[in-house]
Amino acid sequence: MRGSIRERSPGGWQLRAFEGTDPLTGKKLYRTKYVRGTKREAQKQLALLVTDVNAGVVAPAAKSVAELLDAWLDHIEHLGRSPSTLYGYRRLVLQLPEGFKGLPLGKVTPKMVDDLYRLLARQKTRRSATVLRFHTVLRAAFTQAVRWGWVDRNPLDRATPPRVHREEIRPPAVEDVVRVLERAAVSRNPENALVFRLLAATGCRRGEVCGLQWSDVDFEAAPVRVVIRRAIVEVEKKLIVQGTKTHAIRGVGLDQETAKLLREHWTRTVELGLAAGCPPQPEDFVFQREPGSTEPLPPDRVSQAWQRLCRELGLRARLHDLRHLQASLLLDDGEAITTVAARLGHRDTSTTLKVYGHLMPGADGRAAGIVGDALSGRRARNGERSERSRR
């Protein structure tokens, strides 16, 4: 019998069964269990424990929620999950009650999880969207536990997460965005005007614009294009260069005015570099933390500058709303959903439709006209329909 028994307190016994050797570290592995009763009863439990180990049965009680979360976070980190995503997940794990994290996996029930959601919602008056993030993390971790054979089923699948009502996206008015750009151009850091312009003109995420290098700009293309290859994220005040959110590379064309401003920025960069004796290199970031620095412009600094200018002008708009403005303008003008998805860097068009489907009043108006013409006996002929669709 590959097991041992030890009395830790009167009537309290520690059972231990040898599970084998870790193939990676060579460390011996043991499964332990604590029982109360007579020595004879403890010996019977030890025999059952050794039998389970020999049969390859994994006892859910052998692992706690905390052990699962630690193993899962380590697992997805090695799979290449974004550092910013991992940082957010770890912050959520730290906020979970210690009593819940100490539970054996086999004792976690859907009712217990629902009670946890109510507790989290009461603490700090958390919003439903925040509580839903806890559900997302726990569900993913328990799904992995099922794959590893640590539990037989996922209790999160039968839990009831809070409902989150998606707020309608209201992009800022173009006139207000122009006002911010004009104010930025005469501010103490006029370079921000070009950063904001690129965000509005391309629909890129702020980290993607901060991650642009001069090798990503094709001034010879018609129209001028930028290639989005990477993004900058900031985790605990440390800048990290990583791939895009969807891990895909995409090219985005620029309008003539934005291309002209970017070309002027390149000319100034060359002049300053030559004057300092270090001309710009292809791998240099287009927007740098400081002139001549090898570090990119921090995304948080861009957001702070935008918020400061909006306060000065009495406007309420987030920096991310520039991305919504791009989608709104294109969809309202009848641009193909595939084009909009490609410029925004969405993995597929379903994401674009889900988020921005309500921003298509132009398409709805054209649809109403088609139906109205048919009901009034004025249904367009094929040639007329083709001409209308082109318009």
Side-chain angles (χ1 to χ4, degrees):
M1 181 182 292
R2 297 183 302 170
S4 63
I5 183 171
R6 177 184 178 190
E7 189 173 19
R8 300 299 301 270
S9 61
W13 304 88
Q14 180 192 52
L15 314 180
R16 193 169 76 155
F18 179 66
E19 288 190 296
T21 303
D22 189 315
L24 300 179
T25 64
K27 182 180 178 180
K28 292 183 178 180
L29 303 176
Y30 295 90
R31 185 183 303 180
T32 58
K33 183 178 181 179
Y34 295 89
V35 299
R36 295 196 64 80
T38 65
K39 183 175 182 179
R40 186 177 183 84
E41 291 170 339
Q43 288 173 337
K44 291 181 180 180
Q45 291 296 321
L46 177 61
L48 293 174
L49 179 63
V50 172
T51 300
D52 285 345
V53 169
N54 291 337
V57 177
V58 178
K63 299 292 182 181
S64 67
V65 174
E67 289 175 308
L68 167 62
L69 291 170
D70 287 342
W72 172 70
L73 286 169
D74 184 62
H75 176 66
I76 63 175
E77 181 177 9
H78 285 292
L79 291 179
R81 190 62 61 91
S82 162
S84 57
T85 300
L86 288 167
Y87 177 71
Y89 286 171
R90 289 193 171 101
R91 289 191 61 186
L92 290 173
V93 169
L94 288 174
Q95 297 174 58
L96 288 170
E98 291 300 324
F100 177 78
K101 289 191 288 187
L103 284 171
L105 296 180
K107 291 189 176 182
V108 178
T109 65
K111 175 63 168 61
M112 190 178 295
V113 175
D114 288 342
D115 291 341
L116 171 67
Y117 294 155
R118 285 195 292 272
L119 175 64
L120 292 172
R122 289 197 300 267
Q123 293 176 340
K124 303 179 182 179
T125 60
R126 289 187 177 92
R127 298 171 55 189
S128 297
T130 304
V131 178
L132 186 62
R133 293 185 63 203
F134 284 99
H135 171 77
T136 301
V137 168
L138 290 171
R139 185 178 183 184
F142 271 87
T143 297
Q144 192 62 51
V146 173
R147 293 172 180 157
W148 285 337
W150 288 10
V151 290
D152 295 328
R153 62 181 64 183
N154 187 344
L156 277 294
D157 289 339
R158 292 173 292 153
T160 310
R163 291 185 177 182
V164 178
H165 301 285
R166 185 183 295 274
E167 297 181 1
E168 182 178 342
I169 294 175
R170 296 181 180 275
V174 176
E175 296 78 10
D176 290 339
V177 173
V178 172
R179 289 175 60 196
V180 177
L181 296 180
E182 292 174 345
R183 177 64 67 90
V186 296
S187 67
R188 63 175 180 266
N189 191 356
E191 186 179 273
N192 286 330
L194 177 56
V195 178
F196 299 153
R197 174 86 188 205
L198 273 173
L199 288 168
T202 63
C204 291
R205 302 172 180 88
R206 62 175 190 168
E208 294 173 341
V209 169
C210 291
L212 282 175
Q213 297 178 350
W214 285 116
S215 59
D216 302 323
V217 183
D218 187 356
F219 285 117
E220 303 303 320
V224 173
R225 295 173 63 81
V226 293
V227 180
I228 309 301
R229 303 178 186 275
R230 68 193 70 80
I232 306 299
V233 296
E234 193 167 358
V235 178
E236 296 184 312
K237 299 183 180 180
K238 180 181 179 181
L239 296 180
I240 299 175
V241 181
Q242 63 179 32
T244 62
K245 187 174 183 178
T246 59
H247 304 287
I249 298 174
R250 69 186 189 278
V252 182
L254 303 180
D255 62 276
Q256 292 184 358
E257 180 62 22
T258 303
K260 174 176 173 292
L261 294 172
L262 186 58
R263 195 183 297 273
E264 292 174 353
H265 179 58
W266 163 249
T267 301
R268 289 193 299 271
T269 301
V270 172
E271 292 174 349
L272 290 173
L274 291 175
C278 51
Q281 302 299 313
E283 64 274 12
D284 288 349
F285 289 102
V286 175
F287 303 106
Q288 301 169 341
R289 180 190 284 271
E290 305 294 342
S293 170
T294 58
E295 292 190 26
L297 179 67
D300 283 350
R301 187 183 294 183
V302 179
S303 296
Q304 292 163 5
W306 174 266
Q307 292 167 3
R308 182 179 64 252
L309 293 170
C310 285
R311 284 196 299 269
E312 292 176 3
L313 296 171
L315 301 176
R316 295 187 61 182
R318 303 173 307 162
L319 183 69
H320 195 72
D321 289 337
L322 296 179
R323 184 170 166 82
H324 300 329
L325 178 63
Q326 166 96 183
S328 174
L329 292 173
L330 295 178
L331 292 173
D332 189 37
D333 200 47
E335 190 57 69
I337 192 72
T338 52
T339 300
V340 180
R343 288 181 68 86
L344 296 178
H346 286 162
R347 195 181 302 274
D348 52 54
T349 56
S350 62
T351 302
T352 314
L353 286 171
K354 180 179 179 180
V355 178
Y356 300 111
H358 67 287
L359 297 179
M360 303 173 67
D364 184 68
R366 290 189 292 273
I370 292 172
V371 175
D373 288 347
L375 294 176
S376 302
R378 299 192 300 271
R379 189 169 183 177
R381 294 186 295 273
N382 289 337
E384 295 173 349
R385 284 200 298 270
S386 299
E387 179 62 28
R388 178 182 294 162
S389 63
R390 284 195 293 272
R391 293 200 300 270

